[in-house]
Amino acid sequence: MQALARLPMEQRRRDLRAGLNTAGFITGYRGSPVGGLDKSLWQSGELLKTHHLHFQPAVNEDLGATTVWGTQQTSLFQGSRYDGVFSMWYGKGPGVDRSGDALRHANFAGTNPHGGVIMAVGDDPICHSSTIPQQSEFALQAADIPVLHPANVQEIYDFGLLAWALSRYSGFWVALKLLTDVAESSGTIGVGDEHGAFVLPTDFEMPQGGPHLRWPDWATDMDLRMEQVRFPALRAFVRANAFDKAPLSPGRKRLAIVTAGKSYGDTRQALADMEIADAQALDLGIGIYKPGLIWPLETEGLLDFVEGFEEVLVIEEGRPFLEPQIKAALYDLPEPRRPRISGKRDGNGETQFRSSGELKPADITRVLGPRLTRLADLPGVTRRLKLLEEISNRGPGPGAQFPRTPHFCSGCPHNTSTKVPEGSSAMAGIGCHFMAVFMDRNTHTYTHMGAEGCTWAGLAPFSKTGHMFVNIGDGTFYHSGSLAIRQAVAAKAPITYKILYNDAVAMTGGQPVDGPISVQQIAWQMEAEAIKRIALVSDNPDKFNPAEFPSRLTIHHRRDLDAVQRELREYKDVSVLIYEQTCGTEKRRRRKRGKLEDPAKRVFINDRVCEGCGDCGVASNCLSVLPKETEFGRKRTIDQSACNKDYSCVNGFCPSFVTVHGGGLRKRSGSGADFDETLFANLPEPQLPDTSKAYAMLVGGIGGTGVVTVDALLGTAAHMEGKAVRSLDDTGLAQKFGAVYGNLQIADTPEALNVARLGAGHADLILGPDLVTSAGPKVLSLIEPGRTRALINTYEQMTGAFTRNPDLRIPSDSLRHGIADLCGAERTEFVDATRLALGLMGDAIGANTFLLGFAYQRGLIPISSQALEKAIELNGTAVQANLRVFRWGRLAAHDRAAVDKVLGDKAKTAEAPAPQSLEEIIARREADLTDYQNAGYAKRYRQLVDRVAAAEKTRAPGKQGLAEAVARYYYKLLAYKDE
Ligand SMILES: Cc1ncc(C[n+]2csc(CCOP(=O)(O)OP(=O)(O)O)c2C)c(N)n1
Ligand code: SF4
Ligand code: SF4
């Protein structure tokens, strides 16, 4: 995203040097994988102004596209302040889909010669964070928009600048197709003048009138201009500037591989995995042609390259897009010069590359490998094919039964807002509430953004079901969803819209809604749409003044949500329930920045009173209500490090809950400013791993808990040491407490880094902040026995399923075995990083950095400690605490006894209770009851248990299950059972 954010600044600089006074305009709508662009631009602050850049996030993508159209009209009206405006539109695939009409109109009209339009199109082909897979080139082609396909961050930058030049020259809007693996990755790039440099064609004379936007102008003229001016100009510019490259061009021509963008990197990785270096590939007669412009394909260069090869193999992800273009180009070559061509299907018509799902280096190896072994004896190929075979026979491993699915954050309003009364159902739309479909909340089906409820408006006349609840976020409402409500009103559909006002566009990172919006405005807007029943539900209803609302709106506390919904579902037309409660994660952010008061109130559970029924977890649906295994059975505890203080767990009138007003969390022994750091003084420096080849690390953690930060620290540190880095982090839906995978590779040179995402058997290190994620099938498939090492946090962080199943247990032993069996016991290590970080620092948030320190000391991180510490400082967040916990991690690896000494008794806390004899169980409880009341009370207990034990001994010699049960549960009855 930073490469994209830098582009307009660079464009303005270059224009100034060329004597042009231009301005830049950036607009669009967020959505992963371009979800973070707006934040990057906002972070640029004053730089935007300095470079005459105007950033205006759009209400939605198609309106954004139309505003861009306007920026190309500077020459049509009096009073332009600039020679031209170069513009950038951004959006994810569905944004392209919904903008079809706007894009066709605007591109048809053309651009300004000193303006130009580029589009940053985020494509998520494997639905990582999307409701359907995207391959936007088809929609862009339909709008006559040329598509460039960058293979890495460097090409985002280079192609971005070239795209504006092309747009100015030819009048086209020009798109950059940004796949998740490229858009969400980071790497080191060059930004000198040679990047994005272009020349004007010398073999082409621009037809009279030129390609640009004008007025008056009519469709038939534009159509003609497209054919006779703009496409020829486009082709000439592309020919002159070699968007396409031939990185491997052999003398002896056997197999020409044509592949673009991410698939190019995947192909390179497949060759590297098979140990085929460039020289050997050339010897074997293998060539590679890499189009940068994937539509319209520049065929002169392509034909020059492929002529004379025996065969052309097209490698591309998704539905065939390059393949038909190449086939069409080759069709006219005379037979002897025309190579055979295969792509999705081989020469026999059998599928060789699937059109659905992700295309991985392993898939390419499976197709290329056998062909190569037919040409020569290649042990590397045989070895790799064998490993892939072994990996695909492994099975998914024990973790497959225990997935970490995304879940609402702690304190999320949707934990409550998405509940529906018994007997009712709900439909989902776009936004965080979508996760209700994974939960036990009678929420089924969804629509694309801005059509929420319209499916029910269509189905209702044909259904006996009288009513439907429909969830819609405030961001979506503002983007386009208010129109969906209008559709439902027009259809008189029996729907209750639950407009979830969480005061943020939360799913994409907590951006503000893109214009003025408030609970009051929504209420009045709904009133104006002729909706007669409107209710407002809030966790703090007193803050609302009824006079500011339509008179028929009713205001309720969230504890009355069920009753309000029961009433609304009887209503026979569209009704609206505005649910107001700020996003939990947003609250945490605002509190950290001092923008929101941090209530001095904390909730605790007295585990001696708690009966472990789990009702608080089920009712609050909150991930911060955790199990606590105690001598007296499984109880509950509140994770104070993660709690976002929405207090919904307190609602159950359980006597175990204790709220503490005032006061803060106690500082721990290892965290205070007065702590003596000399303990860390003599830490030896480990031998670091070799980076002459890519050193690949996978960080398997939980979304929202700092995995991305670990990756960023490692990446920054490596960069500071002059090493090449390539990393890829998850964003979007997975970030919500689902499994996230930080992919990070470090090497001495960038050429060693082909792909951003690690594939089968690629990992040198599995660094596992989360045991569940690290033992999942995805991570296990990265392990190559004998090469991969694993360092895993043993902490049992519950999954969202625990909110529905209070008896859920993490199968830690089998998960650990799943990893150790593959890596080998000697290459696997487990450490209780969360417990140690919490014990030392008073906050579990440092666990990831602790683990990093531990890994470093074990010689598993290929960067010096100085660089890592510098990166922690540069990161700027809780610098002292992070440096400290990093060093604690190092010390724990080097001298665990020294750490335990500092921890003292805390080292023993939270350990699972050790197995005990019957007598020990009884004695412990007898003593407890004496303390609780008196010796007589304890005696009463002892007598009954003894009687049962004696009876059991005579009736069932050798058994003591009954006596043990009585020992445990009679105690419970006497000590704290409250019913
Ligand atoms: C047309 C389109 N543009 C962008 C997105 C990406 N996207 C997914 S969720 C989301 C945020 C929705 O915000 P809101 O409705 O406020 O719900 P919240 O996430 O805050 O709960 C966006 C923009 C999309 N799915 N479709
Ligand atoms: S980001 Fe906010 S709205 Fe989304 S799940 Fe987390 S707390 Fe809920
Ligand atoms: S509701 Fe009360 S008794 Fe039940 S698990 Fe929660 S704290 Fe324990």
Side-chain angles (χ1 to χ4, degrees):
M1 288 309 103
Q2 284 165 6
L4 279 177
R6 193 186 166 101
L7 278 175
M9 299 178 203
E10 185 59 23
Q11 185 60 47
R12 158 88 183 166
R13 245 184 244 132
R14 290 183 187 200
D15 280 349
L16 274 183
R17 281 211 307 263
L20 284 173
N21 178 25
T22 56
F25 179 66
I26 308 147
T27 190
Y29 198 79
R30 60 193 68 89
S32 56
V34 288
L37 180 57
D38 49 14
K39 286 191 164 176
S40 282
L41 287 162
W42 284 320
Q43 274 161 12
S44 307
E46 281 298 302
L47 280 176
L48 295 183
K49 241 195 216 157
T50 315
H51 291 86
H52 295 243
L53 304 176
H54 184 62
F55 172 41
Q56 174 63 60
V59 166
N60 63 38
E61 292 87 345
D62 55 291
L63 298 176
T66 313
T67 57
V68 170
W69 181 7
T71 63
Q72 301 308 297
Q73 298 177 345
T74 39
S75 57
L76 303 190
F77 299 94
Q78 295 283 316
S80 176
R81 292 159 50 212
Y82 293 95
D83 296 331
V85 177
F86 53 89
S87 294
M88 180 196 287
W89 175 100
Y90 62 90
K92 72 182 284 181
V96 174
D97 291 341
R98 68 165 289 129
S99 304
D101 201 9
L103 292 176
R104 289 202 62 214
H105 271 87
N107 182 43
F108 210 50
T111 62
N112 182 286
H114 299 313
V117 178
I118 68 172
M119 298 174 67
V121 174
D123 261 1
D124 176 10
I126 48 172
C127 301
H128 193 61
S129 274
S130 308
T131 44
I132 48 168
Q134 293 139 25
Q135 201 177 353
S136 291
E137 53 267 39
F138 288 98
L140 293 163
Q141 179 191 30
D144 280 335
I145 295 177
V147 186
L148 289 161
H149 190 359
N152 51 39
V153 185
Q154 181 71 63
E155 285 191 352
I156 294 181
Y157 186 75
D158 296 359
F159 283 179
L161 292 167
L162 276 170
W164 264 315
L166 172 60
S167 175
R168 286 178 176 183
Y169 186 77
S170 64
F172 281 96
W173 284 38
V174 180
L176 303 181
K177 174 184 165 74
L178 303 173
L179 282 175
T180 307
D181 281 23
V182 176
E184 292 185 355
S185 70
S186 50
T188 320
I189 66 164
V191 292
D193 281 351
E194 68 280 19
H195 293 281
F198 67 93
V199 292
L200 294 177
T202 49
D203 60 349
F204 176 74
E205 196 175 328
M206 187 67 78
Q208 226 193 346
H212 296 111
L213 180 139
R214 66 204 65 191
W215 183 257
D217 197 11
W218 308 113
T220 43
D221 299 333
M222 292 187 223
D223 199 20
L224 198 67
R225 196 178 318 123
M226 271 283 187
E227 183 189 9
Q228 296 189 346
V229 183
R230 289 175 58 180
F231 272 110
L234 171 85
R235 281 187 212 105
F237 190 94
V238 173
R239 263 196 322 271
N241 285 288
F243 287 74
D244 306 344
K245 300 268 181 304
L248 276 189
S249 190
R252 176 175 173 204
K253 298 185 171 194
R254 268 179 167 154
L255 178 69
I257 297 173
V258 183
T259 182
K262 168 182 172 284
S263 295
Y264 168 73
D266 292 334
T267 304
R268 285 299 214 165
Q269 184 64 43
L271 290 170
D273 289 342
M274 293 186 283
E275 296 166 42
I276 309 261
D278 282 3
Q280 190 167 21
L282 292 172
D283 269 0
L284 291 166
I286 297 170
I288 298 184
Y289 189 79
K290 172 182 168 298
L293 183 76
I294 58 169
W295 188 84
L297 203 56
E298 197 285 295
T299 50
E300 276 182 36
L302 173 85
L303 290 179
D304 275 356
F305 182 83
V306 300
E307 242 192 278
F309 273 94
E310 292 165 21
E311 184 183 350
V312 174
L313 174 67
V314 187
I315 301 180
E316 59 184 328
E317 193 166 74
R319 288 180 290 146
F321 185 75
L322 284 174
E323 191 181 334
Q325 294 185 69
I326 297 169
K327 281 180 172 161
L330 291 182
Y331 190 79
D332 286 335
L333 276 186
E335 178 109 42
R337 286 166 45 205
R338 190 171 66 218
R340 295 192 310 277
I341 176 159
S342 73
K344 292 293 166 190
R345 291 173 189 276
D346 65 14
N348 301 319
E350 302 291 331
T351 299
Q352 60 181 358
F353 292 120
R354 283 172 39 208
S355 300
S356 58
E358 190 185 2
L359 181 72
K360 302 180 186 138
D363 303 314
I364 298 170
T365 300
R366 287 193 190 95
V367 171
L368 270 185
R371 285 174 190 239
L372 298 181
T373 47
R374 283 198 289 274
L375 301 179
D377 178 25
L378 301 165
V381 179
T382 315
R383 193 191 67 81
R384 179 71 183 159
L385 285 171
K386 216 168 128 206
L387 175 65
L388 290 181
E389 180 76 14
E390 185 267 305
I391 290 173
S392 59
N393 290 336
R394 263 178 207 173
Q401 304 304 320
F402 206 86
R404 188 174 287 292
T405 353
H407 191 88
F408 299 138
C409 315
S410 295
C412 173
H414 301 334
N415 280 323
T416 305
S417 72
T418 54
K419 286 180 184 169
V420 290
E422 210 178 329
S424 282
S425 302
M427 285 179 164
I430 298 301
C432 286
H433 73 263
F434 177 90
M435 287 180 272
V437 303
F438 309 139
M439 301 167 194
D440 213 1
R441 300 226 147 171
N442 257 335
T443 302
H444 310 288
T445 76
Y446 54 88
T447 64
H448 55 287
M449 190 172 188
E452 284 76 0
C454 292
T455 46
W456 184 247
L459 184 56
F462 311 102
S463 169
K464 285 188 198 154
T465 303
H467 175 267
M468 186 62 67
F469 286 100
V470 172
N471 293 306
I472 179 170
D474 49 358
T476 300
F477 176 85
Y478 200 82
H479 171 277
S480 51
S482 57
L483 269 185
I485 300 179
R486 186 178 293 175
Q487 171 64 54
V489 170
K492 295 192 184 323
I495 295 178
T496 298
Y497 274 100
K498 290 165 75 173
I499 304 176
L500 308 174
Y501 186 92
N502 61 358
D503 199 15
V505 185
M507 175 71 94
T508 47
Q511 295 91 338
V513 175
D514 304 283
I517 186 169
S518 66
V519 172
Q520 287 83 346
Q521 276 172 316
I522 296 174
W524 283 110
Q525 195 175 340
M526 293 297 90
E527 164 90 0
E529 294 282 0
I531 294 167
K532 303 218 168 36
R533 182 69 188 96
I534 309 172
L536 167 61
V537 176
S538 168
D539 61 338
N540 183 9
D542 295 342
K543 71 182 172 196
F544 293 109
N545 175 1
E548 293 175 359
F549 290 93
S551 56
R552 54 181 151 214
L553 176 141
T554 54
I555 301 180
H556 312 263
H557 192 277
R558 74 173 173 194
R559 73 175 87 86
D560 300 325
L561 175 66
D562 192 64
V564 176
Q565 292 191 107
R566 280 174 192 276
E567 182 230 310
L568 294 182
R569 73 178 172 183
E570 299 304 324
Y571 192 67
K572 294 292 170 237
D573 207 330
V574 175
S575 55
V576 164
L577 188 161
I578 306 169
Y579 186 96
E580 187 276 340
Q581 185 185 334
T582 304
C583 155
T585 294
E586 198 46 39
K587 272 192 193 162
R588 175 177 280 257
R589 279 194 203 109
R590 289 178 194 172
R591 283 171 185 155
K592 252 191 185 166
R593 293 175 194 150
K595 289 188 175 160
L596 183 72
E597 192 204 343
D598 190 358
K601 174 177 154 190
R602 285 194 173 267
V603 176
F604 295 86
I605 293 175
N606 181 346
D607 63 58
R608 299 305 302 274
V609 179
C610 168
E611 293 191 33
C613 68
D615 284 355
C616 49
V618 174
S620 64
N621 201 38
C622 182
L623 280 180
S624 285
V625 180
L626 296 179
K628 181 175 182 185
E629 308 302 340
T630 73
E631 159 76 22
F632 302 108
R634 174 176 268 207
K635 306 296 182 89
R636 295 296 182 275
T637 185
I638 305 285
D639 180 348
Q640 297 296 338
S641 302
C643 170
N644 281 333
K645 301 183 181 176
D646 99 314
Y647 309 120
S648 54
C649 52
V650 191
N651 287 346
F653 300 110
C654 169
S656 324
F657 275 80
V658 179
T659 44
V660 175
H661 297 258
L665 296 177
R666 204 184 323 135
K667 287 264 173 258
R668 293 302 166 96
S669 41
S671 67
D674 54 343
F675 179 74
D676 180 9
E677 293 246 3
T678 50
L679 200 57
F680 307 129
N682 295 321
L683 282 168
E685 288 300 324
Q687 163 125 31
L688 306 186
D690 173 36
T691 47
S692 57
K693 285 205 285 188
Y695 182 79
M697 295 176 267
L698 191 285
V699 186
I702 305 173
T705 63
V707 174
V708 173
T709 312
V710 171
D711 256 19
L713 286 181
L714 284 164
T716 312
H719 179 61
M720 284 189 304
E721 285 205 330
K723 295 203 160 133
V725 190
R726 195 138 177 203
S727 77
L728 171 70
D729 297 313
D730 295 293
T731 58
L733 187 60
Q735 276 285 50
K736 307 291 170 228
F737 292 87
V740 300
Y741 310 94
N743 300 260
L744 191 99
Q745 293 175 86
I746 296 173
D748 295 342
T749 59
E751 290 72 38
L753 306 175
N754 296 304
V755 289
R757 194 183 294 277
L758 304 189
H762 279 162
D764 290 293
L765 172 67
I766 307 287
L767 188 65
D770 176 39
L771 173 63
V772 171
T773 305
S774 304
K778 233 182 184 167
V779 179
L780 294 193
S781 72
L782 305 182
I783 294 173
E784 178 177 358
R787 168 184 170 192
T788 310
R789 295 186 61 177
L791 175 66
I792 313 290
N793 183 4
T794 52
Y795 180 68
E796 294 186 347
Q797 177 67 54
M798 272 296 167
T799 65
F802 178 63
T803 57
R804 302 181 285 287
N805 175 6
D807 298 324
L808 192 76
R809 276 167 211 280
I810 293 185
S812 284
D813 282 349
S814 67
L815 296 181
R816 287 185 199 205
H817 273 298
I819 302 167
D821 289 352
L822 287 172
C823 291
E826 71 294 350
R827 306 182 78 83
T828 310
E829 188 168 358
F830 297 96
V831 57
D832 40 1
T834 301
R835 191 176 66 79
L836 291 172
L838 181 65
L840 291 161
M841 304 293 292
D843 193 331
I845 204 85
N848 290 355
T849 316
F850 180 95
L851 197 68
L852 184 61
F854 198 101
Y856 173 77
Q857 200 61 31
R858 284 280 183 264
L860 298 174
I861 306 289
I863 314 160
S864 71
S865 58
Q866 292 86 341
L868 286 165
E869 293 206 351
K870 188 89 200 122
I872 291 175
E873 281 165 22
L874 278 177
N875 182 44
T877 314
V879 174
Q880 286 317 317
N882 275 312
L883 286 174
R884 177 78 58 82
V885 78
F886 174 71
R887 291 170 193 161
W888 275 123
R890 288 187 62 185
L891 186 66
H894 175 62
D895 183 357
R896 177 60 186 261
V899 173
D900 285 347
K901 200 165 147 210
V902 174
L903 276 171
D905 281 348
K906 278 188 246 43
K908 295 180 202 101
T909 55
E911 299 283 6
Q916 294 166 309
S917 68
L918 177 61
E919 182 44 40
E920 281 168 333
I921 294 172
I922 299 169
R924 171 75 207 267
R925 284 158 180 74
E926 199 178 3
D928 200 67
L929 289 172
T930 312
D931 282 354
Y932 173 62
Q933 226 166 72
N934 53 38
Y937 201 53
K939 194 171 162 199
R940 193 170 135 200
Y941 167 76
R942 166 64 87 169
Q943 280 173 345
L944 180 67
V945 180
D946 282 352
R947 264 173 58 208
V948 173
E952 192 175 21
K953 206 169 172 186
T954 23
R955 301 280 171 88
K959 300 253 165 75
Q960 57 178 37
L962 180 64
E964 191 178 319
V966 173
R968 289 187 189 282
Y969 296 104
Y970 184 44
Y971 160 81
K972 187 170 168 180
L973 185 69
L974 291 178
Y976 57 89
K977 183 88 181 104
D978 67 332
E979 290 152 13

